[in-house]
Amino acid sequence: MATTNKNILNKMYLVSALFVVVALLVVVQIINIQFIEGDDYRAKAEQRVFRNDTIPSTRGNLYDANGQLLATSISKYDIRFDALAPSSKDFNENIAALAEELGKKFDKSKSYYLQKLRKAHSNKNRYMLIAKNLNYGDYKEIREFPLFEKGPYRGGLIVEKRIVREHPLGKMAERIVGYDRRGSAPVGLEGAFAPYLRGSDGVKLEQKIGKNQWKPINSENELDPNDGFDVYTTIDVNMQDVAHHALLKQLEYFEADHGTAVVMEVATGEIKALSNLGRGDNGKYFEKRNYAVWESHEPGSTFKLMSVIAALEDKVVDTSTVFDTKGGKISYYGRNVRDSKYGGYGKISVAKAFEVSSNTALVQMIQNNYKSNPEDYVDRLYSMNLNEKLSLPIKGEGVPMIPHPDDKNWSGLSLPWMGFGYGVQLTPLQTLTFYNAVANNGVMVKPRLIREVKSKEKVIEKFDREIINPAICSQNTIDKVKVMMENVVKRGTADNLYSENFSMAGKTGTCQTEYWKSSGNYIASFAGYFPADKPKYSCIVVITKPSVRKGYYGNIVAGPVFKTIAQKIYANNPLIDQLELQQAIPTQMVVSTDSYLSKAHAQNEVSSMKIPNLIGMEAMDAIAIVENLGANVILKGSGKVKSQSLKAGTKISPSDKVTLTLI
C-alpha cells in the first residue's frame, strides 16, 4: 500500500511540475509578445483594420498639333452609404428627404430609396451602393443632399473617385494614341511619353469595415497626388481623319489583311498622321498593331530608289545608261528575275527603267557594277543610314536588315536580289524617312511625334528637329531622282494617279510576301511626296495581302490612297458637309480640315454650312463640330447633348452662338 501511495504521489509531483513549466512558458510568451514583439503584432493588427491606399494621379492630357484632345483623364465617382455612421436621430430625421432627392436624381420613386436605405440600416450595411460612374457635377450635387451633407462620419457618405482615360477620336488613331496600363507593356504615344503624362500618386488612409470593404478615414489625403504634364504631339487630327478613312476604304474594297498610311512634314520630320488598320475575325478593320513602326518586311520596288541613288552616287551609271531587259526575264544561279510586262521593255535607260519599274534592268545595274566588290554597294546603303533603327520613343520598332558580304548567309543571289528590294527588310516608317530625305534635298530628319511638354501654360520641355544625316547623297543625285520620281506619276507605273491640277512624285512597290509558304500573297505600296516642285509632305501607304482577284499592284491598291490623302490635305477643298459626315460616323469626333485653307476662304465656306443633329453625342464631339463650323459654344450641364438651341439643318455663321444642354 505504501508503495502504491508513493507512486501516486510521484505522479502528482510530475504533473504539477509540468503545469509549472507550461505556466512559465505561457508567462515568457506573454512577456515576449507584450514587450519584445509587441510593436510588430500591434502593427499587424492595425494593418488588418487600416491601410494606406494609393490615389492615382490625374494623367496629363495628350493633344494634337492644333491643340485638339487625343486623350484626357476624367474623374468618375462611385457613391456608397455607411448605414451605421449616422445616429438614429439623424437617420430618422433625414431619411425621407434623402430618399426624395435620390429619387429625383436617378428617376426612381421615393419609396424605392426609402425601402433601400431602411433595409441597409436594419442590416447594418456599411457599404451600400448608391450610384456608380458619376461625373464631378453629379457628385457635387449628391454630397449636398440631406444627411449626406453631414459628411462621412455623421452622414455616412462614402465617395470613391476613379480616373478614367478617354479618347475623343474613338477608334481612329487608337493604336498610335495607345495606352499605359498598370501591369501591361506601354503602347503608342501614351506609353512613349508616360514619364511626362503619369504624374505621381498620392496616399489616403482607409479603415476596413467589412470583408474586402474599406472606407476613407479622412476627407483629406495623407499625401496629395501630383498631376501629370500635358503632351503636345505632332499628330494633326484632320490629316489623321483623312488618312484613316482613305486607308479603310481601300482595305475594305481589296479585302486586305492589314495596312498602314503615314504622313510626314518634309522639313521638320513631324508625323502628321499615322493610321494602322488590321482585319479582325469578324472582317471589320481596327487599329490592331502599329504596322508602320513595328513591321519589317521586304519593300520590293520602293527599294529601287535606294539602289539607283547608290549607283548614281558611285558614278557607275548615269540616268542615260542603257540596259537590255532581255525579253523581260534574266536568270541568276537558276533563279529568274522577271518584269511585270511580258516580253520586257527592250533596251531602256536607267531613268526609264525606274519609271516603268523594270526588275531586269535595275538588277543588271547593281549586279554588273558591284559583283566584284559587293561591299561597295552595301557600304553605300549603310552610309545612307538604311541599316540603322530610327530610335523612336515608341517601343517595338522593327529592326532594318541590309545584308553585308561578310555575313554568313551571304550568297550569289544576295546582291542581285537586293537590287530590286528582296533580301532586305525595312519598316514602312524607315522607308518613308528615306523618301522624306530625298524630298528634303538630302537632309534626313528623324521622324518626330512630340513638340512640347507643358504644365498648364508653362513649357517644361521643347523638342526640335533632329537631323540623322545632313546629306544622304549629293544634290546632283537628288535633283536627278526627283525628276525620275515625278515621271513615275506622269508617265510611269503610277500614271493612273496623275493630275494636271496637282503634282506628286513617288515610287510604286509590288512584292511577294510569304512566298516561302505559298504563292499569291503580295504587299502593295506607294511612297513619295507632294507637291512635286516644292515638297511639303511625304507619305507612304503599304497594304498587305490584298485580294489577288481584285488587284495587287502598288499603283492600283496603295497609290489611290496616297492620291486621296495628298489631294484632301493640300489640293482639294477639304470642307465637307458636316451633317453627312456625322451620319456616316456618329460615334467619332467629326472635324473639318479648314486649317489648310486661307482664313478668308474658310470663313466663306463655313458660312454656308448647316448644323447637324448633335443630340445624343458626347459634349467633346459636339463642341468640336460646332467650333469647326466657326460658331461659339455655350454649355449647360455635363455629359451628352440633350438639346441644342439651333435645330439640325439650320445654316450657321461664325457670329452665331449655339447653346448645348447636357445631361
Side-chain angles (χ1 to χ4, degrees):
M1 178 67 73
T3 303
T4 302
N5 291 337
K6 187 177 181 181
N7 289 336
I8 293 173
L9 189 60
N10 289 337
K11 289 179 181 180
M12 290 178 63
Y13 288 150
L14 180 60
V15 171
S16 299
L18 288 173
F19 275 120
V20 171
V21 170
V22 170
L24 288 173
L25 290 174
V26 170
V27 171
V28 169
Q29 187 63 22
I30 290 173
I31 294 171
N32 182 60
I33 292 173
Q34 183 69 28
F35 298 104
I36 299 176
E37 299 181 6
D39 291 340
D40 291 339
Y41 281 107
R42 277 187 289 273
K44 289 178 180 179
E46 189 171 329
Q47 286 175 2
R48 292 178 181 177
V49 180
F50 301 97
R51 73 175 182 184
N52 283 323
D53 192 36
T54 299
I55 308 172
S57 59
T58 299
R59 196 173 178 86
N61 292 332
L62 198 64
Y63 292 95
D64 88 327
N66 301 315
Q68 297 194 61
L69 278 170
L70 296 175
T72 188
S73 294
I74 296 178
S75 297
K76 294 292 184 181
Y77 298 85
D78 295 346
I79 305 296
R80 295 180 180 272
F81 177 51
D82 179 358
L84 293 185
S87 66
S88 296
K89 179 183 177 183
D90 285 339
F91 182 84
N92 292 326
E93 287 179 354
N94 292 279
I95 187 67
L98 175 59
E100 184 174 356
E101 292 299 326
L102 289 173
K104 290 178 183 178
K105 180 65 181 175
F106 299 110
D107 197 25
K108 293 183 182 292
S109 65
K110 175 182 177 181
S111 60
Y112 170 82
Y113 281 105
L114 267 175
Q115 182 182 2
K116 190 172 183 179
L117 292 167
R118 283 173 175 159
K119 183 179 179 180
H121 188 65
S122 62
N123 292 339
K124 300 181 179 180
N125 188 341
R126 305 196 65 184
Y127 202 60
M128 183 192 110
L129 178 65
I130 299 292
K132 296 189 74 172
N133 295 320
L134 300 179
N135 59 35
Y136 179 74
D138 291 332
Y139 151 67
K140 196 173 178 181
E141 180 183 354
I142 289 172
R143 74 181 184 183
E144 300 301 323
F145 283 1
L147 190 62
F148 286 170
E149 66 183 348
K150 297 181 183 295
Y153 298 110
R154 291 187 59 197
L157 177 65
I158 300 174
V159 179
E160 296 175 335
K161 178 182 174 181
R162 292 177 289 105
I163 304 298
V164 177
R165 198 67 168 168
E166 292 197 354
H167 301 93
L169 293 185
K171 292 297 181 182
M172 188 177 74
E174 183 178 39
R175 196 68 187 182
I176 185 59
V177 172
Y179 54 81
D180 178 32
R181 301 169 185 154
R182 297 176 189 273
S184 300
V187 170
L189 297 171
E190 289 269 33
F193 306 127
Y196 298 111
L197 292 164
R198 281 178 185 160
S200 58
D201 295 339
V203 176
K204 63 181 177 181
L205 185 61
E206 294 183 331
Q207 180 181 12
K208 191 172 185 180
I209 58 175
K211 186 177 182 181
N212 297 323
Q213 296 179 356
W214 296 83
K215 172 184 174 181
I217 294 296
N218 303 309
S219 58
E220 301 295 327
N221 300 321
E222 302 299 308
L223 177 66
D224 289 328
N226 292 317
D227 294 346
F229 298 133
D230 295 333
V231 171
Y232 288 77
T233 72
T234 63
I235 296 292
D236 185 310
V237 296
N238 302 317
M239 295 190 190
Q240 183 72 29
D241 181 66
V242 168
H244 173 88
H245 288 98
L247 178 64
L248 177 61
K249 179 181 178 181
Q250 205 75 340
L251 289 171
E252 289 177 336
Y253 177 77
F254 283 97
E255 302 171 18
D257 184 76
H258 62 270
T260 184
V262 189
V263 180
M264 186 188 301
E265 191 171 67
V266 170
T268 64
E270 290 190 353
I271 295 177
K272 314 306 291 184
L274 201 165
S275 182
N276 298 283
L277 295 171
R279 186 173 59 194
D281 294 336
N282 60 357
K284 301 293 184 180
Y285 291 90
F286 65 101
E287 291 268 344
K288 196 173 182 180
R289 293 202 71 160
N290 195 340
Y291 300 108
V293 173
W294 163 75
E295 187 172 42
S296 292
H297 61 83
E298 291 175 309
S301 293
T302 54
F303 196 79
K304 290 173 181 173
L305 175 65
M306 293 72 159
S307 291
V308 167
I309 288 178
L312 290 173
E313 197 67 6
D314 287 340
K315 295 182 172 53
V316 296
V317 298
D318 199 352
T319 55
S320 59
T321 303
V322 174
F323 290 94
D324 187 349
T325 59
K326 298 183 178 181
K329 184 178 78 171
I330 189 170
S331 297
Y332 294 100
Y333 301 97
R335 298 283 297 276
N336 295 327
V337 177
R338 300 178 185 273
D339 283 328
S340 59
K341 180 183 178 182
Y342 182 78
Y345 302 93
K347 294 181 179 180
I348 56 175
S349 67
V350 167
K352 185 65 176 179
F354 187 83
E355 292 171 19
V356 300
S357 200
S358 170
N359 293 331
T360 57
L362 295 178
V363 164
Q364 290 180 76
M365 177 188 72
I366 297 301
Q367 177 68 10
N368 294 355
N369 289 290
Y370 290 102
K371 60 184 177 182
S372 299
N373 296 293
E375 62 273 5
D376 291 347
Y377 169 67
V378 177
D379 288 345
R380 175 63 67 181
L381 298 178
Y382 284 9
S383 73
M384 297 186 289
N385 303 89
L386 288 167
N387 62 319
E388 299 174 4
K389 292 174 67 173
L390 298 170
S391 299
L392 302 170
I394 292 180
K395 295 185 182 298
E397 181 185 0
V399 179
M401 193 271 286
I402 308 291
H404 193 277
D406 293 338
D407 295 342
K408 291 181 180 180
N409 58 352
W410 182 272
S411 71
L413 287 173
S414 297
L415 181 63
W417 254 238
M418 289 174 70
F420 69 120
Y422 284 88
V424 297
Q425 288 190 354
L426 294 172
T427 68
L429 190 54
Q430 289 162 358
T431 299
L432 177 61
T433 301
F434 187 87
Y435 274 72
N436 191 80
V438 173
N440 202 26
N441 289 319
V443 181
M444 180 180 282
V445 292
K446 182 177 179 177
R448 187 154 54 96
L449 285 158
I450 183 173
R451 280 184 173 177
E452 59 186 6
V453 177
K454 285 185 174 182
S455 176
K456 297 180 180 178
E457 294 303 315
K458 181 182 178 182
V459 176
I460 303 300
E461 190 169 354
K462 200 172 183 66
F463 296 82
D464 297 318
R465 184 179 76 155
E466 185 176 336
I467 295 176
I468 297 174
N469 190 331
I472 60 170
C473 61
S474 66
Q475 188 62 50
N476 184 47
T477 297
I478 290 290
D479 293 340
K480 290 178 180 178
V481 295
K482 276 188 172 181
V483 174
M484 293 162 64
M485 291 172 71
E486 190 171 359
N487 286 336
V488 167
V489 177
K490 284 184 176 179
R491 63 191 186 203
T493 54
D495 60 355
N496 61 306
L497 307 179
Y498 178 69
S499 171
E500 292 182 355
N501 301 319
F502 182 70
S503 63
M504 299 177 290
K507 180 71 185 75
T508 56
T510 307
C511 68
Q512 294 187 60
T513 185
E514 297 182 0
Y515 45 83
W516 55 91
K517 294 181 180 178
S518 62
S519 60
N521 293 317
Y522 291 87
I523 296 176
S525 58
F526 189 93
Y529 51 84
F530 55 91
D533 53 344
K534 294 181 180 179
K536 174 68 174 175
Y537 300 106
S538 61
C539 177
I540 188 169
V541 179
V542 180
I543 295 179
T544 301
K545 296 183 183 178
S547 172
V548 176
R549 60 185 173 81
K550 290 189 174 182
Y552 56 91
Y553 284 109
N555 65 325
I556 300 298
V557 180
V561 179
F562 181 98
K563 182 177 181 180
T564 298
I565 292 171
Q567 289 187 320
K568 286 192 174 182
I569 286 177
Y570 207 77
N572 290 348
N573 180 351
L575 285 168
I576 57 178
D577 188 288
Q578 293 290 343
L579 179 58
E580 178 183 342
L581 182 57
Q582 189 252 343
Q583 291 171 343
I585 45 172
T587 61
Q588 295 180 348
M589 177 184 287
V590 183
V591 292
S592 70
T593 49
D594 56 352
S595 58
Y596 307 117
L597 305 177
S598 68
K599 184 175 181 181
H601 180 63
Q603 287 179 342
N604 290 337
E605 292 291 337
V606 170
S607 65
S608 64
M609 301 296 285
K610 297 178 181 180
I611 188 169
N613 180 14
L614 305 173
I615 295 173
M617 296 182 67
E618 294 289 344
M620 195 172 297
D621 296 350
I623 292 169
I625 292 174
V626 176
E627 288 182 344
N628 280 310
L629 290 173
N632 297 315
V633 183
I634 300 173
L635 288 180
K636 292 184 178 179
S638 60
K640 295 184 178 181
V641 178
K642 180 182 179 181
S643 63
Q644 58 192 82
S645 60
L646 292 182
K647 293 183 179 180
T650 303
K651 285 188 177 182
I652 194 169
S653 63
S655 61
D656 288 336
K657 292 182 179 179
V658 180
T659 301
L660 302 178
T661 303
L662 311 176
I663 55 171

